[in-house]
Amino acid sequence: MRVTRLEAVPVSVPLREPFTSALGVQATSDYGVVVAEADDGTTGLGEISLIWHGNGAALCGLVNRLLAPVVVGTDPFALTRFHEAASRVLAFGRHSLAAVAAVETALLDLAGKASGRPVYDLLGGLARDRVPLSMSLPIAPVDEVLDRARRLTGEGFTTLKAKGGGDHDRLVEVVAALRAEFGPRLGIRVDLNMACTLAKDALRLIRRLEPYDVLSVEQPLPAADVEGMAELCARSTVPIMADESVWSPGDAWRVLRARAADIVNVYVPEAGGPVGARRIADLCATAGAGVAIGSMPELGIGTAAAAHVAFSSPRLDQPSDVAGHLYHADDVVRTGLTIEDGFLLPPPGPGLGVELDPDRLAAYRIPAPDGGDPYATLRTTRAS
Ligand SMILES: [Mg+2]
């Protein structure tokens, strides 16, 4: 099997409701859909899901101009060679990992379809029968957060993640209200998205959250403050989760070596693909750190990719956000993903187990955003 064509299509899909976090307000997911075609007529799908660096849609140019030329003509099973080639043309670009991830996902989809197996079988096989899910609660007045929590628990979700920002009093009030209303049966996670600047301030906030039995406090400090995160791990009784501090397997290695995370939230787009995400889960298993699978939130293709990682990881001891598609009003695929009583069931195969809807892809397609090829100037300069 050989790849004959590879294209990234920028799309903008609305969320059901705008979502506010410490990072701002998100009303649409502006991502890229990668379509890979093979010489036997098979189609593989990937998704550039990224809310950082001008969003995933802005990275379509990287796929179309830089990655497609090194992928077309190759065997989709040759993932190590793909990554070697990708790292040559996309050196030093952290954000480009999301474009690489989308292409790797499309190659895995092709390889799975060629072998008649779900992608999780290419990543180590099924390691569990179900994955506990967590849904996120936006930064909003306490009443609104509670309304959303009631709706989600009514749908069967047993873990919720409260987003925090600069207003720590509101966050503590939200967590206290969740615990008061739902009792011990609700798992409560807290995500600060780097809202604290000092480890001591973060520790003071964590101490205020301790009485409410929270499962974890996620990324209180800026991504680069590995020393601060390590200090929190040493001094907090609440487990500290790293998110923004860990993108690639290399980041995971540095954070785990510094003992700067009790738990790592692993993202397929940030890890450079499902294989890199599995590699981070392996590192965590080796280091004795907990693992959760995170979400941008992804559309259906990206959620399916995360699901195949979650079901094949050696360690997954935390509720995970593998339900990004639920935040969206519509999608470009039919996923076949099943959620029962707040648990995700194994995704169908072969491949990712998703089916593209060409009409919806056309409906949500947007013009290529400016800056789609941040390397264009560099290459022009080099050529002249
Ligand atoms: Mg997070």
Side-chain angles (χ1 to χ4, degrees), residues 116-139:
R117 307 297 290 260
V119 165
Y120 59 69
D121 275 342
L122 305 179
L123 298 172
L126 207 58
R128 54 193 51 80
D129 298 324
R130 56 184 198 164
V131 166
L133 294 177
S134 165
M135 294 292 282
S136 294
L137 302 167
I139 294 176

Side-chain angles (χ1 to χ4, degrees), residues 161 163 191 193 218 243-244 265 267:
K161 178 155 91 174
K163 289 281 193 175
D191 187 0
N193 286 113
E218 184 172 339
D243 176 345
E244 284 87 345
N265 204 9
Y267 288 69

Side-chain angles (χ1 to χ4, degrees), residues 186-275:
L186 180 70
I188 302 175
R189 303 163 70 198
V190 169
D191 187 0
L192 290 165
N193 286 113
M194 312 186 286
C196 302
T197 49
L198 293 175
K200 284 186 168 58
D201 286 343
L203 194 61
R204 194 179 304 129
L205 172 59
I206 291 166
R207 297 260 194 265
R208 294 177 67 192
L209 294 169
E210 270 174 359
Y212 307 108
D213 191 26
V214 298
L215 288 170
S216 56
V217 172
E218 184 172 339
Q219 197 71 43
L221 296 171
D225 190 1
V226 174
E227 293 84 357
M229 291 283 284
E231 182 183 342
L232 291 181
C233 285
R235 298 178 63 187
S236 167
T237 59
V238 180
I240 302 299
M241 182 180 287
D243 176 345
E244 284 87 345
S245 288
V246 175
W247 278 50
S248 66
D251 293 335
W253 166 245
R254 284 182 284 277
V255 164
L256 292 168
R257 197 174 47 179
R259 298 187 179 278
D262 297 302
I263 306 161
V264 176
N265 204 9
V266 183
Y267 288 69
V268 169
E270 297 174 357
V275 172

Side-chain angles (χ1 to χ4, degrees), residues 12-13 95 148 190 202 217 219 268 282 295 311 333:
S12 179
V13 179
H95 62 289
R148 200 182 282 217
V190 169
V217 172
Q219 197 71 43
V268 169
D282 287 342
S295 172
F311 276 95
V333 292

Side-chain angles (χ1 to χ4, degrees), residues 26-40:
Q26 185 184 357
T28 60
S29 287
D30 293 0
Y31 296 160
V33 174
V34 169
V35 182
E37 291 171 6
D39 52 6
D40 66 351

